[in-house]
Amino acid sequence: MCASYGLDPRFTDTELLAAADEAVLDGLRGWAEENAQETVRPTGRNLRNLNPIVVPSEGAPTLEPGWWGFLVGGEPSKFPSINTRSERLRERPGGLRNRALVPATSWYEMKKPERVWHEFGLDDGALFGMAAVTQQGRTADGRSFTCYSIVMRPAPDHLADVHDRMPLLIPASLSGDWLTAEPGGEILDEALLAAASLDHRVRVAPRRDDKGTDRLF
């Protein structure tokens, strides 16, 4: 399960969009700098952080603040909703109706039973997009938000010893289709196949925690 990720404004390259939109990239850098490179965590009753997501719009994709996790009946869902299994989406393709990209430069998982945090990233500080499904939700006070859930897939062999799941990474070449293609199994299968082309570029290193920048070695 991906429950935290990083967005470092010093990202060196981008696997986010096929045609890098400077407005999007500048917006991401600005958000990351304003948030002091804080680890991104799910939104909730107390932690009301809104995180940048890339959504389709007329013309080029655009940034929008998103609520990480689904809102149901005016409250954060009682069922796990920050992640959605790719297998579940294949069984229920209606969940693919609305999609987004979650920009990140890393994500974090705890290896068990050792209980050692590990940082995952693409190359050395590259910006990438994690697949997400979205839906609209409202809080008890009537405020409306775009809510997102990160799509998770089985991890490849060289990562599975740390964690058996990983976010579905969308290569820049497929970013437009992921955001705008007709919902259904076809776009999901295409995304899973394309994501495998990035597997060899994923790096992992142990960390003291999922907050700072110090690695164990």
Side-chain angles (χ1 to χ4, degrees):
M1 179 180 74
C2 177
S4 56
Y5 62 91
L7 181 56
D8 192 319
R10 300 168 297 178
F11 53 81
T12 57
D13 196 359
T14 176
E15 274 287 351
L16 183 64
L17 298 169
D21 187 310
E22 289 304 319
V24 169
L25 300 183
D26 289 346
L28 290 174
R29 288 192 179 95
W31 184 91
E33 289 169 353
E34 288 175 9
N35 286 272
Q37 302 179 38
E38 288 282 339
T39 300
V40 184
R41 303 186 188 281
T43 317
R45 290 183 178 85
N46 299 319
L47 188 63
R48 289 300 184 95
N49 54 295
L50 297 177
N51 313 314
I53 58 175
V54 179
V55 296
S57 66
E58 294 184 7
T62 188
L63 280 182
E64 180 178 312
W67 181 296
W68 187 7
F70 291 152
L71 286 162
V72 178
E75 299 289 342
S77 67
K78 293 181 172 56
F79 59 88
S81 64
I82 63 172
N83 297 150
T84 299
R85 287 175 173 259
S86 59
E87 297 92 331
R88 180 179 176 84
L89 290 172
R90 179 174 281 111
E91 295 170 356
R92 301 180 180 181
L96 290 160
R97 188 173 297 109
N98 298 299
R99 303 179 298 275
L101 291 170
V102 179
T105 52
S106 61
W107 76 91
Y108 307 99
E109 299 285 6
M110 179 180 284
K111 183 179 180 180
K112 298 178 180 179
E114 296 88 340
R115 297 188 60 81
V116 175
W117 282 103
H118 284 69
E119 177 187 24
F120 297 76
L122 198 63
D123 299 334
D124 186 15
L127 177 70
F128 54 85
M130 300 185 289
V133 290
T134 67
Q135 63 182 44
Q136 293 300 307
R138 290 182 180 275
T139 51
D141 59 6
R143 297 182 65 191
S144 179
F145 297 93
T146 297
C147 304
Y148 69 96
S149 178
I150 295 174
V151 180
M152 301 293 286
R153 52 162 279 215
D157 290 344
H158 74 289
L159 303 177
D161 65 324
V162 177
H163 201 276
D164 63 347
R165 310 288 299 183
M166 68 174 286
L168 174 59
L169 307 185
I170 302 295
S173 59
L174 191 66
S175 59
D177 287 345
W178 175 256
L179 292 174
T180 62
E182 290 296 317
E186 185 174 341
I187 184 58
L188 179 61
D189 289 343
E190 190 175 353
L192 287 165
L193 182 62
S197 69
L198 298 177
D199 285 352
H200 69 285
R201 294 174 55 189
V202 178
R203 304 290 182 262
V204 58
R207 294 277 299 269
R208 301 188 196 286
D209 52 41
D210 69 338
K211 300 176 183 178
T213 58
D214 293 335
R215 294 184 176 182
L216 289 179
F217 51 81

